[in-house]
Amino acid sequence: MSLNQSPNGREAERVVGNNVQRAKISALGTYTPPRLLTNADLEKMVETTDEWIIERTGIRERHIVEKGVGTSDLAFEAAKRALAQRGLSGRDVEVIIVATVTPDMFFPSTACLLQHKLGASGAWGFDLSAACSGFLYAMATGAQFITSGRHKKVLVVGADVMSSIIDYTDRTTCIIFGDGAGAILIEAAEPGEDGLIDFNYEIDGSGGDDLYMPAGGSRMPSSVETVEKKLHFVHQNGPQVFKFAVRKMYEVCDTLLKRNGLTGDDIDIFIPHQANIRIIEATRERLGMPPEKVLINIDRYGNTTAGTIPLATADAITQGRLKKGSLVLYASAGAGYTVGAALVRWSF
Ligand code: UT7
């Protein structure tokens, strides 16, 4: 038996006797707050135009929370919907992993807050910080508890209230981000069922200063000065992040496809992190996939960080483009840097 490393080099399964134990996604729920922030709204707040935002990012509108709503509230709504889809309640959940860079508080973790809201009294859990790759990293982490045989039901949530850390006087960042959440349930795949097939993740900490929130942590605790200098907001070197994302999202996908003996032709749907339509299009083109194979919904949500991939997955299902048996290629790149690609055979 090998953990994390099967004879074919794939990293998302466990070989038990003659059987490969895989993990599958058995349910999906999403939530976005009702309030919209449109490009027309932003035109009144900063020096920008609807045309510039659409052309440079592909975004038309984003969902934004009302004051006082936290990430755990969005996570709760998404998690409830995922559990309801499987006819389950919080009591059935064994592990909760919340990917977020905007926790309600530093501590307790958003996973603890969510556990209480869901009444998931039998679950343990934790938060995972990997920015825009957070959902994919949490998905693979959650899958390990299934393939190891340790747990049967893992709830993985990607949720962010990006509006809580955005400077709405900075036109280079405020046009990009939105709020949203998605939750999946991970369970054991049936014998012979693929589920989560493989993943290929990398981090590169040398790019840490390209996208970060400078203050509020242990190195630069909150003070009047940090607030005055706007150091509690997202600071981004946009063009640098753009170049990294275009290069690395392709590379991790290419490596993942090749080691599984696949090409872009074999993929039914490519669901990338939604950060910029030009990053998505460049990655798709380099992978040799036609436009109809990529899911783009950045126009309606902007970049919701850990929320983009489940929100895009839900749209793929609604549009009839993701069905039981579809082969999905996921990809992400974000602050850290973090980057990832995952292959999933859709299970419902
Ligand atoms: O999830 C991962 C996190 N983030 C990303 O993946 C973001 C990656 N980066 C990007 O998406 C893009 O770099 C941005 C959308 C952030 C910026 O687009 P860009 O095409 O790279 O623009 P730029 O930063 O090179 O700026 C070009 C011009 C500048 O004016 P000058 O210096 O040429 O006169 C900016 O000041 O566009 C100006 N500009 C704007 N103009 C109108 C920047 N933001 C705006 C704006 N409206 N909102």
Side-chain angles (χ1 to χ4, degrees), residues 42 44-48 165-175 228-230 233-234:
L42 287 163
K44 294 178 203 132
M45 296 159 68
V46 290
E47 201 183 324
T48 192
I165 55 169
I166 293 300
D167 175 3
Y168 283 97
T169 65
D170 173 10
R171 70 175 181 174
T172 67
T173 51
C174 74
I175 55 152
E228 280 171 357
K229 289 185 171 167
K230 300 187 169 190
F233 293 126
V234 170

Side-chain angles (χ1 to χ4, degrees), residues 47-49 52-53 56-57 132 171-172 175-177 211 236 238-239 241-242 245 273 275-276 278-279 303 333-335:
E47 201 183 324
T48 192
T49 61
W52 193 95
I53 300 173
R56 304 308 292 168
T57 70
C132 297
R171 70 175 181 174
T172 67
I175 55 152
I176 298 172
F177 294 97
L211 181 49
Q236 174 172 255
V241 178
F242 188 96
H273 167 57
N276 186 313
R278 293 180 295 132
I279 296 174
N303 181 350

Side-chain angles (χ1 to χ4, degrees), residues 47-117:
E47 201 183 324
T48 192
T49 61
D50 179 47
E51 294 73 31
W52 193 95
I53 300 173
I54 292 173
E55 191 190 313
R56 304 308 292 168
T57 70
I59 303 168
R60 291 174 187 273
E61 60 189 26
R62 321 109 192 99
H63 292 249
I64 301 287
V65 298
E66 299 294 340
K67 205 166 181 242
V69 175
T71 293
S72 70
D73 298 313
L74 273 54
F76 176 54
E77 295 299 331
K80 263 195 317 196
R81 291 173 188 191
L83 291 174
Q85 196 179 71
R86 276 280 287 126
L88 300 172
S89 76
R91 282 188 300 281
D92 299 301
V93 177
E94 295 171 33
V95 185
I96 299 172
I97 307 174
V98 179
T100 187
V101 290
T102 52
D104 287 29
M105 298 164 261
F106 265 176
F107 64 88
S109 71
T110 312
C112 288
L113 303 177
L114 179 59
Q115 184 245 20
H116 184 59
K117 287 182 186 196

